[in-house]
C-alpha cells in the first residue's frame, strides 16, 4: 500500500522478529530441515533425525495484494527452540508446478507461528501452498492474489463472532464447501476472552441452552496474559472446521472487542478490571501480539514519529475496476469510552442542534468523543473519494444503522405477557428502572439504548461518516458484532430533503447467541418486526429492510458491475456437529441507487 512506504515496523514486533537466533542455531536448523543437507552430509541427517516438527494448526493465507500474499502456519517441535521450515507455492493443488519457495523461521519468541510475505506473484491468480520440515508436510492451502484491470465478479464470505464453548463451527464448515470465494472477510470476535460460563445469556442462566464445548476451551479461564491469548488462539486453530475455511481462501480480517476484552475502547474495556487484572496497556499489548502472531495479517506498520500506540489495522484492497474494499478499526486506535447509562445515551440526541451537531457528545474533559479518530477518518475519506471502482465496500465491526428503541407500548406484534417479559429482562440487564427509560426513549422516537457500543453511541463521528458516505459513489457497509443478520437502507436528512447514502448489511454470528437467547420464547419475527415498525415511523432515519435475530450463519457478498447481491446462509444448529444449512434470504443493490432495489 503506497501510503505505508515511509512507515516502519511496529516496535513490539521488530523486537521479537530479530531476537535470539544465533548463526549456529540457524545452520543447525537449515540442516535439520534438509535445506543445506547436501553441503554437510551425515551431520544434517543426524539433525533431521533429532528434531521432530508438526503442523497441528493448519495453514492459512491473507492480506492479498496484486503481487503478494501472506502465508501462515504454526510449526512446533518436541525439541523446542528456533528452527527453519520450508514453504512452497505452486499453481497446482498437488504442488508440482512450483512458482516460489523458500525458508522461514519458526521462532519460540513468536509462539512458533510462521508468516511469509510471498512477493513477485501474478495478479488475479489462484495458488496452492504448503510448509514442510524434512519429510513432514503441512496440509495444502489455496489462495488468490488481487485482480487488476477489468474485473467482472468478486465473491466474499463474511463472518463474525465465534464463541468456541457455545457451539460447533458448522458455519465455517458450510462456507468451506465453496470453491468460488475470492476472500474470507472476518469482521472480528474471531476469538472470545471468556472462560467457561463467562458469557452469560438469560437462556444460559435459565438452563435453556448449554455451553456444549465448554470442556474443549483452553485455557479454562478468562484470558489475560500473553500465554493465555496464545493458548486461546491455538485452541481455536485446532478446530477442523476453522482449519478447513482457513485453507480455502485468503482471509482479510479486523479485530472487534473480544480479541482483547468485551467492549474495548482506546484506554480500557468493560471486561477489564484495572489493577486486579493488571494494566490495560499490558493486556492490550498481549492480545495484539498474539493476534499478529496467529492471524495472516501483514506485519503492522506505523508512521515513524506519529506517536501511535496501536499497530494500524485499517487498510484497503483494490479488486481492479470493480470494487475497493476498505477495512476499518473502530475499536483500538481511537475509540473513546462508551456511554452505558440510557439517560446519558438519549441525552446525546435530545441536545442535538438543528444544524446536526451533538453538544453532549464530549468526553469528561470537554474534548469531542472519537470513534475512528481524525487520522483514520481522513484516510477513509481519501479511500472513498479517490475510488474509481464501481463499488466501495467498507468492512468494519459495529452496526452503523440507526435502530429505534422498540416501542413496546404501541405494538400489536406481542402479547401483554411477552411485553412484560421483555421489560423484566431490560430491567435485569440494564438495572431497575431501565425498562421505563427505554419506553420514554421509544415514545420520543429515539435510538435503542442497547446499541450504545455501536456507531449510534458516537453521533458526531457517525454524522461525519454519513457525509463521507454521501460523497462516495456506491458504498456498501459490512458489519458484525451483533450476532444477528441485518440489512438497512441508510439515509441522511439534508437541507434539500432526505437522501439515500448507501446500504449496510450485518452478518450473523458463527456461534455467538442472538436475541433468541435474550428474549427467550419471544417469536424472532416479532423482535425484528418491532424494530422495523418502530423505525418506519420516522422516514428520515435509516430503514430496516431485513433482519434475522435467531439463526447463526454467514453472508455471501457477490459483486458484479450490475449489482451487489447479499445472500444469508444459516445452519439449523450449532449445538451438534451434524447440521443442515440453507440460503434463506437474498437482497440486491444496484449502482447509483444507494438503497436496496429488489428483494427475492
Ligand atoms: Fe460478538
Amino acid at each position: 500500500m503506497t501510503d505505508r512506504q515511509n512507515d516502519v515496523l511496529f516496535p513490539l514486533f521488530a523486537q521479537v522478529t530479530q531476537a535470539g537466533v544465533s548463526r549456529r542455531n540457524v545452520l543447525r536448523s537449515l540442516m535439520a530441515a534438509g535445506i543445506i543437507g547436501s553441503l554437510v552430509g551425515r551431520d544434517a541427517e543426524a539433525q533431521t533425525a533429532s528434531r521432530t516438527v508438526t503442523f497441528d494448526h493448519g495453514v492459512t493465507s491473507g492480506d492479498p495484494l496484486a503481487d503478494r500474499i501472506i502465508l501462515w502456519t504454526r510449526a512446533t517441535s518436541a525439541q523446542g527452540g528456533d528452527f527453519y521450515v520450508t514453504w512452497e507455492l505452486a499453481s497446482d493443488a498437488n504442488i508440482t508446478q512450483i512458482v516460489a519457495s523458500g525458508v522461514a523461521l519458526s521462532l519460540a519468541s513468536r509462539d512458533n507461528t510462521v508468516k511469509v510475505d510471498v512477493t513477485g506473484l501474478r495478479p488475479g491468480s489462484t495458488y496452492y501452498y504448503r510448509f514442510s520440515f524434512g519429510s513432514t508436510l503441512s496440509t495444502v492451502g489455496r489462495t488468490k492474489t488481487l485482480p487488476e484491470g477489468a474485473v467482472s465478479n468478486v465473491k466474499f464470505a463474511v463472518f463474525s463472532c465465534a464463541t468456541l464453548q457455545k457451539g460447533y463451527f458448522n458455519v465455517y464448515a458450510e462456507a468451506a464447501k465453496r470453491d468460488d470465494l475470492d476472500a474470507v472477510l472476518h469482521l472480528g470476535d474471531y476469538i472470545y476472552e471468556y472462560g467457561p460460563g463467562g458469557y452469560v445469556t438469560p437462556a444460559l442462566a435459565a438452563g435453556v441452552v448449554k455451553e456444549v464445548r465448554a470442556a474443549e476451551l483452553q485455557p479454562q479461564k478468562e484470558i489475560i496474559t500473553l500465554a493465555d491469548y496464545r493458548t486461546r488462539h491455538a485452541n481455536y486453530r485446532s478446530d477442523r472446521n476453522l482449519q478447513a475455511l482457513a485453507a480455502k481462501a485468503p482471509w482479510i480480517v479486523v479485530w472487534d472487542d473480544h480479541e482483547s476484552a468485551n467492549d474495548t475502547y482506546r484506554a480500557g474495556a468493560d471486561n477489564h478490571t484495572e489493577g486486579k487484572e493488571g494494566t490495560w496497556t499490558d493486556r492490550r499489548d498481549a492480545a495484539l501480539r498474539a493476534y499478529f502472531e496467529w492471524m495472516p495479517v501483514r506485519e503492522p506498520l506505523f508512521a515513524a514519529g506519529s506517536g501511535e500506540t496501536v499497530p494500524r489495522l485499517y487498510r484497503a484492497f483494490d479488486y481492479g475496476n470493480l470494487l475497493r474494499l476498505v477495512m476499518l478499526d473502530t475499536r483500538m486506535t481511537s475509540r473513546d469510552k462508551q456511554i452505558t447509562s440510557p439517560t446519558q445515551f438519549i441525552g446525546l440526541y435530545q441536545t442535538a442542534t438543528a444544524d446536526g451537531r451533538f453538544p453532549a457528545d464530549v468526553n469528561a474533559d470537554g474534548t469531542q468523543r472519537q470513534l475512528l479518530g481524525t487520522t483514520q477518518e481522513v484516510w477513509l475519506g481519501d479511500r472513498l473519494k479517490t475510488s474509481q471502482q464501481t463499488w466501495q465496500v467498507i468492512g468494519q465491526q459495529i452496526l452503523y444503522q440507526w435502530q429505534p428503541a422498540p416501542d413496546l407500548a404501541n405494538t400489536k406484534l406481542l402479547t401483554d405477557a411477552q411485553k412484560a417479559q421483555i421489560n423484566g429482562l431490560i430491567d435485569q440487564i440494564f438495572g431497575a428502572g431501565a425498562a421505563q427509560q427505554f419506553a420514554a426513549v421509544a415514545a420520543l422516537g429515539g435510538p435503542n439504548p442497547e446499541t450504545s457500543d455501536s456507531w449510534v453511541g458516537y453521533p458526531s463521528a457517525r454524522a461525519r461518516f454519513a457525509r463521507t458516505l454521501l460523497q462516495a459513489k456506491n458504498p456498501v457497509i459490512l458489519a458484525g458484532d451483533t450476532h444477528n443478520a441485518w440489512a438497512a437502507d441508510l439515509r441522511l436528512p439534508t437541507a434539500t430533503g432526505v437522501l439515500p447514502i448507501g446500504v449496510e448489511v450485518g452478518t450473523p454470528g458463527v456461534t455467538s447467541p442472538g436475541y433468541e437467547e435474550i428474549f427467550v420464547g419471544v417469536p424472532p419475527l416479532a423482535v425484528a418486526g418491532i424494530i422495523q415498525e418502530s423505525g418506519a415511523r420516522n422516514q428520515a432515519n435509516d430503514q430496516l429492510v431485513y433482519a434475522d435475530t435467531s439463526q447463526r450463519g454467514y453472508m455471501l457478498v457477490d459483486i458484479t458491475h450490475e449489482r451487489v447481491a447479499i445472500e444469508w446462509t444459516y445452519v439449523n444448529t450449532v449445538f451438534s456437529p451434524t447440521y443442515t444449512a440453507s440460503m434463506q434470504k437474498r437482497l440486491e443493490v444496484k449502482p447509483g441507487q444507494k438503497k436496496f432495489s429488489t428483494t427475492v
Side-chain angles (χ1 to χ4, degrees):
M1 277 158 271
T2 51
D3 59 329
R4 288 183 158 199
Q5 274 172 1
N6 296 321
D7 295 349
V8 294
L9 198 63
F10 202 75
L12 182 66
F13 305 98
Q15 285 165 15
V16 293
T17 307
Q18 289 154 13
V21 187
S22 74
R23 189 172 173 274
R24 184 179 163 80
N25 283 340
V26 168
L27 280 174
R28 270 192 190 155
S29 175
L30 288 169
M31 287 188 278
I35 293 156
I36 56 170
S38 58
L39 299 177
V40 288
R42 205 178 296 164
D43 282 353
E45 283 162 34
Q47 289 292 339
T48 307
S50 69
R51 183 179 282 286
T52 52
V53 169
T54 52
F55 300 95
D56 295 335
H57 299 90
V59 298
T60 192
S61 65
D63 278 9
L65 296 177
D67 67 339
R68 66 187 58 197
I69 199 141
I70 298 284
L71 306 183
W72 181 97
T73 194
R74 185 177 192 231
T76 48
S77 171
Q79 289 73 37
D82 304 327
F83 54 93
Y84 276 85
V85 296
T86 305
W87 58 268
E88 295 168 292
L89 184 102
S91 55
D92 65 314
N94 294 324
I95 318 283
T96 58
Q97 307 296 315
I98 306 288
V99 172
S101 63
V103 293
L105 268 169
S106 170
L107 287 171
S109 61
R110 288 188 63 117
D111 205 16
N112 290 108
T113 57
V114 178
K115 207 184 270 191
V116 183
D117 199 356
V118 182
T119 58
L121 303 178
R122 296 163 65 93
S125 302
T126 297
Y127 294 104
Y128 300 84
Y129 59 94
R130 74 178 171 205
F131 293 83
S132 60
F133 184 91
S135 59
T136 306
L137 304 176
S138 74
T139 50
V140 172
R142 176 183 171 277
T143 194
K144 197 173 179 184
T145 49
L146 293 187
E148 285 182 335
V151 175
S152 58
N153 183 216
V154 165
K155 289 193 182 81
F156 298 131
V158 186
F159 304 84
S160 73
C161 300
T163 315
L164 187 140
Q165 61 270 36
K166 290 198 184 287
Y168 294 89
F169 293 163
N170 299 335
V171 171
Y172 289 152
E174 184 61 21
K177 292 176 185 168
R178 304 192 75 107
D179 288 316
D180 60 350
L181 298 178
D182 289 277
V184 166
L185 308 187
H186 205 295
L187 303 179
D189 291 358
Y190 163 86
I191 62 165
Y192 276 70
E193 82 277 20
Y194 301 113
Y199 179 178
V200 186
T201 62
L204 184 71
V208 176
V209 297
K210 286 198 164 49
E211 290 190 340
V212 291
R213 298 177 75 190
E216 281 182 56
L217 193 67
Q218 294 295 331
Q220 284 270 303
K221 64 183 185 76
E222 183 179 328
I223 52 175
I224 293 169
T225 66
L226 177 59
D228 294 343
Y229 281 100
R230 283 171 162 175
T231 302
R232 186 61 53 83
H233 274 279
N235 185 211
Y236 272 61
R237 281 214 185 268
S238 300
D239 183 282
R240 298 292 167 192
N241 293 331
L242 191 156
Q243 286 188 11
L245 186 62
K248 203 63 190 262
W251 284 43
I252 298 174
V253 302
V254 285
W255 54 59
D256 196 7
D257 50 338
H258 293 287
E259 279 85 352
S260 51
N262 183 50
D263 285 2
T264 311
Y265 56 98
R266 182 173 50 80
D270 164 66
N271 190 27
H272 175 75
T273 309
E274 194 73 11
K276 189 167 161 244
E277 295 179 317
T279 69
W280 170 248
T281 309
D282 283 351
R283 186 175 187 176
R284 179 199 68 190
D285 286 352
L288 289 175
R289 185 163 156 183
Y291 188 84
F292 282 105
E293 288 170 354
W294 280 86
M295 300 301 279
V297 187
R298 187 158 284 109
E299 286 304 299
L301 302 175
F302 79 127
S306 69
E308 288 175 76
T309 54
V310 169
R312 240 184 267 165
L313 191 65
Y314 55 92
R315 59 211 192 280
F317 301 86
D318 286 348
Y319 285 78
N321 67 348
L322 183 59
L323 75 114
R324 171 168 288 176
L325 173 67
V326 181
M327 302 295 281
L328 302 181
D329 176 13
T330 64
R331 280 290 171 193
M332 290 273 197
T333 304
S334 296
R335 174 192 281 252
D336 284 310
K337 194 172 175 11
Q338 295 85 343
I339 284 170
T340 48
S341 140
T343 311
Q344 208 185 350
F345 176 69
I346 197 60
L348 293 176
Y349 289 87
Q350 280 174 327
T351 54
T353 62
D355 60 356
R357 289 181 300 114
F358 299 89
D361 189 16
V362 290
N363 294 302
D365 64 2
T367 55
Q368 179 83 218
R369 291 173 70 243
Q370 298 290 335
L371 188 62
L372 297 178
T374 308
T375 307
Q376 188 177 186
E377 276 184 12
V378 170
W379 176 88
L380 170 64
D382 285 348
R383 297 283 90 64
L384 297 186
K385 206 163 41 192
T386 60
S387 168
Q388 301 295 314
Q389 289 87 353
T390 302
W391 301 98
Q392 294 76 42
V393 179
I394 302 162
Q396 51 90 56
Q397 297 81 2
I398 50 176
L399 271 190
Y400 167 86
Q401 65 194 260
W402 193 101
Q403 291 194 347
D407 190 359
L408 296 179
N410 293 305
T411 186
K412 291 190 168 56
L413 294 169
L414 295 175
T415 64
D416 286 346
Q418 287 168 334
K419 291 177 187 180
Q421 181 195 349
I422 289 175
N423 282 327
L425 279 164
I426 291 173
D427 277 351
Q428 194 183 314
I429 295 165
F430 295 93
Q436 220 167 5
Q437 287 175 315
F438 273 50
V441 175
L444 292 167
N448 188 352
E450 206 265 324
T451 61
S452 60
D453 180 59
S454 68
W455 278 93
V456 173
Y458 297 81
S460 308
R462 187 172 177 277
R464 289 194 296 275
F465 189 19
R467 287 193 292 275
T468 303
L469 293 172
L470 185 62
Q471 316 253 312
K473 271 200 300 190
N474 290 300
V476 176
I477 302 178
L478 313 176
D481 183 54
T482 71
H483 315 167
N484 299 303
W486 309 102
D489 287 338
L490 309 178
R491 297 179 173 184
L492 182 67
T494 69
T496 54
V498 177
L499 299 176
I501 56 170
V503 298
E504 180 183 51
V505 287
T507 196
V510 172
T511 60
S512 301
Y515 276 125
E516 80 285 355
E517 284 201 22
I518 299 173
F519 303 127
V520 180
V522 177
L525 282 176
V527 175
I530 290 165
I531 296 169
Q532 194 157 23
E533 178 189 75
S534 306
R537 289 186 194 146
N538 186 347
Q539 292 291 315
N541 289 330
D542 304 328
Q543 296 294 307
L544 190 65
V545 174
Y546 166 69
D548 182 287
T549 63
S550 70
Q551 300 187 88
R552 307 290 80 78
Y554 75 96
M555 293 191 303
L556 181 78
V557 180
D558 178 354
I559 306 169
T560 69
H561 288 283
E562 289 72 42
R563 87 287 184 277
V564 173
I566 298 101
E567 295 178 356
W568 282 266
T569 293
Y570 302 100
V571 295
N572 69 329
T573 183
V574 299
F575 299 121
S576 128
T578 52
Y579 71 95
T580 58
S582 58
M583 197 273 276
Q584 293 180 18
K585 184 68 180 181
R586 186 173 194 276
L587 288 173
E588 281 189 8
V589 56
K590 291 188 163 51
Q593 300 205 335
K594 292 188 156 186
K595 60 181 182 173
F596 286 107
S597 50
T598 60
T599 60
V600 181

